[in-house]
Amino acid sequence: MWSVTFDCASPAVMARFWGPALGYVTPPPPDGFATWEAWARHHEVPDDELDDGAYLADPAGVLPSLSFLKVPEGKVVKNRLHLDLKVSGGRSVPQDEREALIRATVDRLTAAGAAVLAEHPGRDGLDHVVLADPEGNEFCVV
């Protein structure tokens, strides 16, 4: 089992963006706890650390989980690793349908706080769009 972890300034903001972007959900707290806060209190997490992390899970339990961890430093350079959101169905789908799927996803994500950085054409039209999440991390809608 493995997870993808984002270092960030605001874990809750990032989780609110990436949850709907990927169709992920906040996992339920461990057995015996009504909330994650109750779990944290039980484990004596200090008040000033309660907002230091956020977690998301694939509702089907198949894909890796996501962690968002608060760090003091900000993002300073382009990511060396990024996510590709594959929404178009690939090159076997007619170009006009692919482009419509990509643009609909880009519209939904920009409404949720993403910013368009670049559009990249293919031979017959739009191939993919590079966006940045609310903290500037690059990702592609393909």
Side-chain angles (χ1 to χ4, degrees):
M1 179 71 87
W2 56 280
S3 176
V4 175
T5 300
F6 290 79
D7 289 346
C8 58
S10 183
V13 168
M14 294 292 280
R16 280 193 302 272
F17 175 80
W18 283 106
L22 299 176
Y24 273 45
V25 297
T26 300
D31 288 341
F33 298 95
T35 66
W36 279 104
E37 183 177 352
W39 176 89
R41 297 278 182 215
H42 175 79
H43 291 285
E44 300 178 358
V45 175
D47 286 347
D48 64 342
E49 292 180 17
L50 288 175
D51 294 326
D52 282 1
Y55 309 94
L56 296 173
D58 169 26
V62 176
L63 300 174
S65 61
L66 301 178
S67 300
F68 302 91
L69 301 178
K70 188 175 189 175
V71 296
E73 68 278 358
K75 181 180 180 305
V76 294
V77 298
K78 182 180 183 291
N79 295 9
R80 296 289 303 254
L81 173 73
H82 70 267
L83 301 178
D84 283 347
L85 306 186
K86 296 181 176 184
V87 302
S88 71
R91 295 186 188 278
S92 63
V93 174
Q95 178 62 34
D96 59 332
E97 291 176 35
R98 290 180 67 223
E99 187 163 338
L101 291 165
I102 291 169
R103 291 204 183 278
T105 300
V106 168
D107 289 347
R108 179 175 60 85
L109 296 175
T110 54
V116 172
L117 300 179
E119 291 191 4
H120 292 273
R123 268 184 277 161
D124 300 321
L126 182 65
D127 183 68
H128 67 280
V129 178
V130 180
L131 294 101
D133 71 14
E135 290 198 6
N137 298 296
E138 300 87 5
F139 65 99
C140 295
V141 176
V142 181

PDB file of all heavy atoms in Angstrom, residues 29 42 69 77 90 109:
ATOM      1  N   PRO A  29     -13.379   8.019  10.401  1.00  0.00           N
ATOM      2  CA  PRO A  29     -12.402   7.876  11.482  1.00  0.00           C
ATOM      3  C   PRO A  29     -12.275   6.403  11.885  1.00  0.00           C
ATOM      4  O   PRO A  29     -13.161   5.590  11.589  1.00  0.00           O
ATOM      5  CB  PRO A  29     -12.979   8.719  12.615  1.00  0.00           C
ATOM      6  CG  PRO A  29     -14.422   8.843  12.303  1.00  0.00           C
ATOM      7  CD  PRO A  29     -14.568   8.740  10.810  1.00  0.00           C
ATOM      8  N   HIS A  42      -7.841  11.886  21.522  1.00  0.00           N
ATOM      9  CA  HIS A  42      -7.489  10.656  22.224  1.00  0.00           C
ATOM     10  C   HIS A  42      -5.969  10.424  22.200  1.00  0.00           C
ATOM     11  O   HIS A  42      -5.389   9.956  23.170  1.00  0.00           O
ATOM     12  CB  HIS A  42      -8.210   9.460  21.595  1.00  0.00           C
ATOM     13  CG  HIS A  42      -7.814   8.147  22.178  1.00  0.00           C
ATOM     14  ND1 HIS A  42      -8.322   7.697  23.381  1.00  0.00           N
ATOM     15  CD2 HIS A  42      -6.949   7.202  21.739  1.00  0.00           C
ATOM     16  CE1 HIS A  42      -7.788   6.513  23.651  1.00  0.00           C
ATOM     17  NE2 HIS A  42      -6.962   6.193  22.668  1.00  0.00           N
ATOM     18  N   LEU A  69       0.081  17.519   4.015  1.00  0.00           N
ATOM     19  CA  LEU A  69       0.796  17.819   5.250  1.00  0.00           C
ATOM     20  C   LEU A  69       1.302  19.249   5.244  1.00  0.00           C
ATOM     21  O   LEU A  69       1.935  19.696   4.280  1.00  0.00           O
ATOM     22  CB  LEU A  69       1.966  16.853   5.433  1.00  0.00           C
ATOM     23  CG  LEU A  69       1.586  15.377   5.491  1.00  0.00           C
ATOM     24  CD1 LEU A  69       2.829  14.513   5.626  1.00  0.00           C
ATOM     25  CD2 LEU A  69       0.607  15.102   6.617  1.00  0.00           C
ATOM     26  N   VAL A  77       9.589  26.048  -6.935  1.00  0.00           N
ATOM     27  CA  VAL A  77       9.943  25.664  -8.303  1.00  0.00           C
ATOM     28  C   VAL A  77       8.865  24.749  -8.881  1.00  0.00           C
ATOM     29  O   VAL A  77       8.003  24.248  -8.162  1.00  0.00           O
ATOM     30  CB  VAL A  77      11.307  24.941  -8.384  1.00  0.00           C
ATOM     31  CG1 VAL A  77      12.429  25.851  -7.925  1.00  0.00           C
ATOM     32  CG2 VAL A  77      11.300  23.657  -7.584  1.00  0.00           C
ATOM     33  N   GLY A  90      -8.864   9.047 -24.412  1.00  0.00           N
ATOM     34  CA  GLY A  90      -7.734   8.662 -25.256  1.00  0.00           C
ATOM     35  C   GLY A  90      -7.958   8.931 -26.729  1.00  0.00           C
ATOM     36  O   GLY A  90      -9.010   9.397 -27.166  1.00  0.00           O
ATOM     37  N   LEU A 109     -12.754  22.535 -12.663  1.00  0.00           N
ATOM     38  CA  LEU A 109     -11.628  22.704 -11.742  1.00  0.00           C
ATOM     39  C   LEU A 109     -11.234  24.162 -11.559  1.00  0.00           C
ATOM     40  O   LEU A 109     -10.836  24.560 -10.466  1.00  0.00           O
ATOM     41  CB  LEU A 109     -10.442  21.866 -12.214  1.00  0.00           C
ATOM     42  CG  LEU A 109     -10.699  20.354 -12.197  1.00  0.00           C
ATOM     43  CD1 LEU A 109      -9.531  19.600 -12.798  1.00  0.00           C
ATOM     44  CD2 LEU A 109     -11.003  19.870 -10.791  1.00  0.00           C
TER      45      LEU A 109
END
